[in-house]
Amino acid sequence: MVEINNGEARKYQGNYRQFLQQKVEQEQSEASTKKKFQGVLRKELAWLRQGPKARSTKQKARIQRIAEMQAKPRNHVKAKLEMNSLSRRIGKIAIEAEGVGLSLNDKENNLDLLHDFTYSFSPEDRVGIIGPNGSGKSTLLDLIAGTRLPTSGKIKLGETVHVGYLDQHTNDLNQGSGLKRKVIEFVEEAALRIDHGGKQITASQLLEKFLFPPSQQHSPLLKLSGGEKRRLALCKMLIQAPNVLLLDEPTNDLDIQTLSVLEDFLEDFKGCVVVVSHDRYFLDRTIDRIFNFENGHLRRYEGNYSRFLEQKILEERNNETTERDQMVNNLPNKRELKIKSNFQNKIRKLSFKEAKELKELDLKLPMLEKQKIYLEKKINGSDVDISETSHQLAELIEVIQEHEDRWIELSELSEPAK
């Protein structure tokens, strides 16, 4: 992986998880080096303040070294992002969905996105919503937030529920006077002063905790980068002290530091969290239940995203075993095969081309089986893209089944005519 940070491109070996680990170790090392450097510099400056005269060569060299240390460019150390929970009390009921369905109708198409979804979200729920693009994930969050009405069924929020909604495109930034507003004006729309850890702080002070210095707080929103807009939207949402969070692709455009702090924040958050995300590592850290869009229905899986993938692979293997068992059970016994073979001999004999194809299948099928075993072992490894490998395995199983069907068909014919 290659990270671009402060105009520097730095290369990392391994996958995303290994990158995060290396990044933490690197920052710890840089902090330690900086601390040692500052200690040495303080000692040298103390010696210099004593007013030594550069009489000897050693003293001249020491004074020159101090000057070089002072002139040395200092590594930019990021300020620590503070994202503290301001959530309010939540009752026993968070969100109740009962028979919810949604159809999108236009002049040409009638698209059913969701059928008969029923579920009661608890105050402690950590739910991930996944599925193909266009399946209805973001629309489901709109239904819960009340910005869209279901075609059938109903969604009810608890009496004490206060929803914080971070939509995928941070639409809130474009409302009102839009991107011409100043950063601090955008936050003050939610509150001028905030109770933070028992202390009253201003919106400006809270912005500083979210890494927006005073010099940037009076800049228009249109000058912010994608990541800064995302961080600002998080800041405004948390000011309103929600106890239910709806997060649509929250990791989009976030830097590593903000992403890490957000993960820790959600771990300590006192309330219900519903997340739509394609980020496997983020889902693994933040949720313990998944709803997957499957042909317009939301199917429930317990556990995080990695556990969901394991269940899907196991399900595919069970289906494969069932299909094979059915195929074996449907095969005729030896006596029936002999009668059938004698009957087929009267009809026609195996052609030369078919005999050649049968021999090729005899060689090819064992090789495909070995490849299948290799992919199954690969899936069980730690450093692998399970989703991609599972897709390869599913395609291979389909090829094997086609070849086996053809092999059975050819085997039931007699020897070729001479």
Side-chain angles (χ1 to χ4, degrees):
M1 291 190 68
V2 176
E3 180 199 27
I4 299 176
N5 186 20
N6 293 326
E8 273 185 37
R10 188 169 291 184
K11 200 173 180 182
Y12 295 86
Q13 297 296 326
N15 59 20
Y16 184 70
R17 181 175 295 174
Q18 291 168 325
F19 157 70
L20 291 178
Q21 184 178 353
Q22 293 175 59
K23 183 70 177 174
V24 171
E25 292 172 353
Q26 172 197 315
E27 289 179 353
Q28 290 174 343
S29 175
E30 288 176 354
S32 176
T33 302
K34 182 186 177 186
K35 189 175 180 181
K36 290 178 182 177
F37 176 84
Q38 289 175 334
V40 173
L41 182 58
R42 276 196 299 269
K43 290 180 181 178
E44 294 297 309
L45 289 173
W47 174 80
L48 191 61
R49 280 194 293 269
Q50 294 175 2
K53 295 179 180 179
R55 294 176 181 174
S56 68
T57 304
K58 286 184 178 180
Q59 286 178 325
K60 289 180 180 179
R62 188 171 181 180
I63 292 172
Q64 184 179 354
R65 186 172 71 248
I66 294 172
E68 290 173 353
M69 290 176 72
Q70 289 177 310
K72 186 177 180 180
R74 299 182 183 182
N75 291 331
H76 175 71
V77 179
K78 287 185 178 179
K80 184 179 179 182
L81 173 63
E82 294 186 33
M83 197 180 294
N84 303 104
S85 177
L86 301 172
S87 61
R88 62 188 81 190
R89 186 185 68 83
I90 186 170
K92 293 182 179 180
I93 297 176
I95 308 161
E96 286 192 345
E98 184 179 343
V100 175
L102 181 66
S103 298
L104 299 181
N105 300 314
D106 55 32
K107 295 180 180 179
E108 299 179 358
N109 299 309
N110 183 8
L111 180 62
D112 291 330
L113 286 180
L114 185 61
H115 299 282
D116 194 28
F117 174 56
T118 299
Y119 180 71
S120 179
F121 293 84
S122 76
E124 298 84 21
D125 254 342
R126 296 290 187 273
V127 176
I129 309 294
I130 63 173
N133 289 335
S135 58
K137 302 183 296 296
S138 297
T139 305
L140 177 61
L141 292 190
D142 288 340
L143 292 175
I144 297 174
T147 58
R148 183 189 291 268
L149 295 176
T151 307
S152 59
K154 60 182 180 180
I155 292 179
K156 179 183 176 183
L157 302 182
E159 293 181 0
T160 60
V161 164
H162 187 81
V163 175
Y165 187 12
L166 182 71
D167 62 85
Q168 187 174 356
H169 306 290
T170 53
N171 293 328
D172 195 26
L173 289 166
N174 300 309
Q175 294 176 356
S177 54
L179 297 175
K180 294 181 180 179
R181 286 171 294 176
K182 295 178 180 178
V183 170
I184 193 164
E185 290 174 345
F186 175 74
V187 174
E188 287 178 343
E189 290 173 357
L192 294 174
R193 300 186 68 84
I194 304 99
D195 184 2
H196 186 271
K199 296 180 180 179
Q200 286 286 318
I201 64 172
T202 64
S204 176
Q205 289 171 323
L206 185 68
L207 278 169
E208 287 191 58
K209 291 178 180 292
F210 274 75
L211 308 185
F212 290 99
S215 58
Q216 193 179 21
Q217 292 177 15
H218 294 276
S219 298
L221 298 178
L222 57 86
K223 287 192 175 182
L224 298 181
S225 66
E228 288 170 334
K229 288 178 182 176
R230 205 71 171 150
R231 182 156 25 98
L232 184 63
L234 273 171
C235 176
K236 184 177 180 180
M237 182 186 72
L238 297 179
I239 284 175
Q240 300 171 60
N243 48 25
V244 170
L245 294 179
L246 307 179
L247 308 177
D248 193 357
E249 298 294 352
T251 63
N252 282 2
D253 298 321
L254 289 187
D255 57 67
I256 298 300
Q257 183 193 23
T258 307
L259 178 56
S260 178
V261 173
L262 176 59
E263 290 172 352
D264 292 337
F265 168 82
L266 293 178
E267 189 174 339
D268 297 330
F269 179 73
K270 304 292 190 296
C272 176
V273 180
V274 184
V275 182
V276 168
S277 179
H278 288 92
D279 190 329
R280 168 184 172 180
Y281 298 99
F282 181 77
L283 289 175
D284 275 349
R285 279 207 60 185
T286 57
I287 61 100
D288 50 30
R289 180 170 297 124
I290 275 183
F291 281 99
N292 183 35
F293 270 91
E294 298 179 8
N295 300 318
H297 292 275
L298 278 172
R299 186 175 173 189
R300 176 175 165 180
Y301 295 84
E302 296 300 319
N304 61 15
Y305 189 77
S306 292
R307 176 60 183 149
F308 158 76
L309 287 179
E310 291 171 3
Q311 293 178 72
K312 292 295 286 182
I313 292 169
L314 182 61
E315 185 179 293
E316 288 178 4
R317 289 176 180 172
N318 290 338
N319 290 339
E320 174 195 346
T321 302
T322 302
E323 289 173 3
R324 286 187 176 181
D325 289 344
Q326 290 174 348
M327 183 180 70
V328 171
N329 291 334
N330 291 331
L331 288 175
N333 57 36
K334 290 183 179 179
R335 183 171 177 275
E336 289 173 333
L337 278 174
K338 186 176 181 181
I339 295 172
K340 189 175 181 180
S341 178
N342 290 335
F343 176 75
Q344 288 173 336
N345 281 336
K346 296 178 182 179
I347 300 174
R348 75 172 181 87
K349 293 187 176 184
L350 200 67
S351 69
F352 177 80
K353 185 177 179 181
E354 288 170 334
K356 184 179 179 183
E357 183 183 356
L358 181 60
K359 288 181 180 179
E360 289 174 351
L361 287 172
D362 283 332
L363 296 173
K364 195 170 185 179
L365 278 170
M367 295 173 62
L368 292 174
E369 285 292 340
K370 287 182 180 178
Q371 189 177 351
K372 176 174 167 290
I373 293 171
Y374 167 75
L375 288 177
E376 289 174 341
K377 289 181 178 179
K378 189 177 179 182
I379 287 173
N380 294 326
S382 56
D383 300 329
V384 65
D385 184 344
I386 295 180
S387 178
E388 177 63 26
T389 309
S390 300
H391 181 68
Q392 293 174 2
L393 180 60
E395 288 183 343
L396 180 61
I397 289 172
E398 188 176 344
V399 171
I400 291 174
Q401 288 176 345
E402 290 175 357
H403 283 20
E404 285 178 342
D405 291 343
R406 180 59 176 161
W407 184 89
I408 292 171
E409 181 184 346
L410 294 174
S411 297
E412 289 176 351
L413 299 177
S414 63
E415 294 294 324
K418 295 182 181 179

